[in-house]
Amino acid sequence: MLPWIIIGICASIVSAIPPKVIDLSNRGMKKEEFFTKIQKQINLAEVTDLNLRGNEFDTFLDCSTYLENLKTLDLSQNHLQRFFFLCKDEYNLQQLNISHNKLEYIDENGFNNRIPKLTILDVSWNKLSVVNETMLQHFKVLEYLSLANNPINEGIHENAFWNLVALRYLNLSNISASYFSSEMFKTLSNLSNLDLSSNPISVVPLLPANLEELDISDTHVCRLQGVYLPRLRELKMNNMRQLRQLILNDLENFTSLETLTLDGSKNLAYLTKWRPYETILLPRLQRLSMANCALKTIEYNLASIIPRVPILNLENNPWNCDCKMKWLHASNETRIIARQIKCRTPEQHAGKELSEVPSYYLACQEDSSSVLRPVLWASILTLLLAIMLVSIFFLLRGPLSHWDWDIRRKNHDTVSYTNVDETSNDLVKILALGEGGERNDE
């Protein structure tokens, strides 16, 4: 029994020994100095964490060093154009950071079956233009992958991620992609965090239903209609230049959403709900941030959502404090919201908190002009009718003058014929009188 106790004690002591960390960062060191000089002073075979960040390595070759126990390797912020894992069948490497380098392409000598235990890989801020179907095929336990800030454009093969079945975090921010294939993420059933921000995409691709965090900030997406993400807890839509209105009904399938941020979406002027919703819309929403947008009002149809959000950020919007905002004076709960709203218009309320303005002073411009509107329309119609009559008069002026001339000519002819008739009658009378005289003589 005693030997087993001793073995257990030794095992616990070994597990309690902290990892051996070597920090050689930010020394401006070239690879020749490290491989020929520095590593002779260090027993790298015992090192578990090696930090070579911020030096001047242009390549890194595993054959020139001893990495048997290495679990973490940081080669970020160097001048790497290539790196190799060639000289041992398998390494225990779990975390590799090669971000902020000059890598244009990574071949099978870099990412291969010699580092199958890799769980964290950061390749961001390089010059990659292609991610082919074999580049990541050996990383079946990889959980974190960042390809952010590479000029990849449309260079990701649609099945490049299919073998990453354990992947939980994927960062594709700012890779200049205007489109993501609907097949690209279909095998990533464990993916919980996806960053597609700062890409010129206008449509959200088909995403894994288990996704919990999504960032589509600084994209061209205008609508989220039809997106089904029932487990999504956080949605970031900051700095959305094309977003002019957010229809909350589009988020009806986001039943687990807790955080929604729209900060800095400068053209976002309307937050609305189009139709009545049978159940509670966004039932778990805990934080809503709409700072630095273009919002002018919060309409009453949002009364079922806005007041029940515990954390609300409405700062720096051009709020118009009119009759549409009266409902925020209705209860203590909504008056707390009114304290966050600083009026910009109308002029008499500018600079005041909405809560400081009595509700009977919150008037709409439409109210003051409602009496004048019928008079205005009547005047416009009268003017249009007058213009039509004048137009008709000038159009018929020529035909009317010709018709009048014809009438006058006809009248002149009739007078002439009348005179002839009257003359004839006088002749008849003279002849009649002549015959009478002759008869009397007889």
Side-chain angles (χ1 to χ4, degrees):
M1 187 69 181
L2 184 61
W4 290 107
I5 295 174
I6 295 173
I7 291 172
I9 294 173
C10 292
S12 62
I13 293 173
V14 170
S15 62
I17 296 174
K20 186 171 182 179
V21 179
I22 298 296
D23 188 350
L24 299 172
S25 61
N26 301 307
R27 297 192 178 195
M29 181 171 50
K30 297 184 181 297
K31 67 176 186 295
E32 291 83 5
E33 181 181 357
F34 172 75
F35 289 125
T36 60
K37 181 179 179 182
I38 300 296
Q39 73 169 350
K40 291 181 180 179
Q41 304 170 5
I42 304 170
N43 185 5
L44 285 178
E46 299 178 357
V47 175
T48 56
D49 298 84
L50 177 60
N51 187 352
L52 296 172
R53 178 188 184 96
N55 286 291
E56 298 181 10
F57 287 51
D58 57 0
T59 59
F60 184 86
L61 179 61
D62 64 317
C63 301
S64 302
T65 188
Y66 306 96
L67 306 176
E68 284 79 1
N69 293 312
L70 197 66
K71 293 183 178 180
T72 301
L73 175 60
D74 189 344
L75 288 165
S76 63
Q77 297 186 20
N78 277 271
H79 305 301
L80 286 181
Q81 298 180 32
R82 299 188 72 184
F83 64 95
F84 306 92
F85 289 99
L86 296 174
C87 295
K88 189 178 179 184
D89 291 339
E90 185 174 311
Y91 290 102
N92 290 317
L93 193 64
Q94 298 174 14
Q95 300 180 28
L96 176 62
N97 186 352
I98 48 176
S99 65
H100 294 86
N101 278 286
K102 298 180 179 181
L103 297 165
E104 297 182 6
Y105 182 75
I106 300 175
D107 59 21
E108 64 276 4
N109 294 320
F111 292 158
N112 53 39
N113 57 0
R114 292 178 172 82
I115 48 174
K117 297 180 181 179
L118 209 62
T119 59
I120 297 176
L121 175 61
D122 190 348
V123 201
S124 61
W125 294 101
N126 276 279
K127 298 181 179 182
L128 294 180
S129 59
V130 174
V131 180
N132 61 33
E133 64 270 33
T134 62
M135 177 174 156
L136 304 168
Q137 64 179 334
H138 301 290
F139 301 147
K140 295 183 179 180
V141 298
L142 191 69
E143 297 181 2
Y144 176 104
L145 172 63
S146 178
L147 295 168
N149 301 291
N150 280 280
I152 299 174
N153 295 294
E154 313 304 321
I156 301 180
H157 196 277
E158 70 173 11
N159 62 0
F161 304 135
W162 282 11
N163 287 334
L164 307 181
V165 292
L167 197 66
R168 297 182 56 82
Y169 179 95
L170 177 58
N171 190 343
L172 299 175
S173 173
N174 192 31
I175 62 171
S176 303
S178 59
Y179 172 78
F180 291 103
S181 168
S182 59
E183 299 290 309
M184 188 173 292
F185 309 104
K186 75 174 187 179
T187 64
L188 305 183
S189 57
N190 288 308
L191 191 67
S192 61
N193 190 311
L194 177 61
D195 190 343
L196 301 177
S197 64
S198 301
N199 285 294
I201 60 171
S202 56
V203 177
V204 176
L206 184 64
L207 300 175
N210 291 333
L211 204 63
E212 296 181 4
E213 298 181 24
L214 175 62
D215 192 346
I216 55 171
S217 301
D218 194 20
T219 63
H220 296 174
V221 174
C222 296
R223 294 287 302 271
L224 292 173
Q225 193 174 19
V227 179
Y228 181 71
L229 295 171
R231 296 190 179 182
L232 195 70
R233 294 185 296 103
E234 182 174 355
L235 175 60
K236 296 179 181 179
M237 299 177 66
N238 304 315
N239 303 308
M240 302 286 281
R241 291 164 288 175
Q242 305 296 324
L243 188 66
R244 286 171 172 77
Q245 67 173 354
L246 179 65
I247 304 167
L248 292 178
N249 300 86
D250 288 350
L251 309 181
E252 62 185 354
N253 293 321
F254 298 3
T255 52
S256 299
L257 194 64
E258 298 175 359
T259 300
L260 174 61
T261 60
L262 298 144
D263 297 340
S265 298
K266 298 294 186 181
N267 294 315
L268 178 61
Y270 301 101
L271 182 71
T272 187
K273 184 176 69 169
W274 273 3
R275 62 184 184 274
Y277 198 67
E278 295 180 358
T279 57
I280 299 176
L281 189 62
L282 300 175
R284 298 186 182 180
L285 193 62
Q286 298 294 310
R287 181 174 182 267
L288 176 60
S289 184
M290 300 179 291
N292 300 295
C293 296
L295 295 169
K296 292 185 178 181
T297 189
I298 300 178
E299 298 182 358
Y300 181 71
N301 62 6
L302 298 176
S304 62
I305 299 176
I306 298 295
R308 60 179 168 82
V309 179
I311 303 174
L312 194 64
N313 185 2
L314 304 172
E315 294 180 356
N316 199 23
N317 280 279
W319 298 110
N320 181 37
C321 298
D322 62 4
C323 64
K324 295 177 182 178
M325 307 277 259
K326 280 184 179 181
W327 69 275
L328 291 169
H329 284 262
S331 65
N332 290 331
E333 188 177 33
T334 54
R335 274 196 288 269
I336 293 173
I337 299 172
R339 291 172 190 165
Q340 294 191 44
I341 296 175
K342 182 169 285 188
C343 306
R344 187 171 297 183
T345 57
E347 187 176 352
Q348 61 267 31
H349 304 323
K352 298 178 183 177
E353 292 180 0
L354 179 61
S355 59
E356 299 173 350
V357 182
S359 60
Y360 50 82
Y361 282 141
L362 298 175
C364 288
Q365 293 181 356
E366 291 79 6
D367 296 341
S368 61
S369 62
S370 60
V371 177
L372 297 176
R373 189 176 290 112
V375 177
L376 179 61
W377 278 112
S379 301
I380 292 172
L381 290 174
T382 303
L383 180 60
L384 290 174
L385 182 60
I387 292 171
M388 289 174 63
L389 291 173
V390 171
S391 300
I392 292 171
F393 172 76
F394 280 105
L395 287 171
L396 298 177
R397 183 178 179 184
L400 285 173
S401 61
H402 181 70
W403 182 57
D404 183 57
W405 184 83
D406 288 342
I407 292 173
R408 290 182 181 179
R409 186 179 65 181
K410 289 178 182 179
N411 288 339
H412 178 73
D413 293 342
T414 304
V415 170
S416 300
Y417 296 144
T418 302
N419 292 338
V420 171
D421 290 341
E422 288 176 354
T423 306
S424 301
N425 291 336
D426 291 341
L427 290 173
V428 171
K429 289 178 181 179
I430 293 170
L431 290 173
L433 289 174
E435 290 178 357
E438 292 176 353
R439 287 176 183 176
N440 290 332
D441 290 339
E442 290 179 356

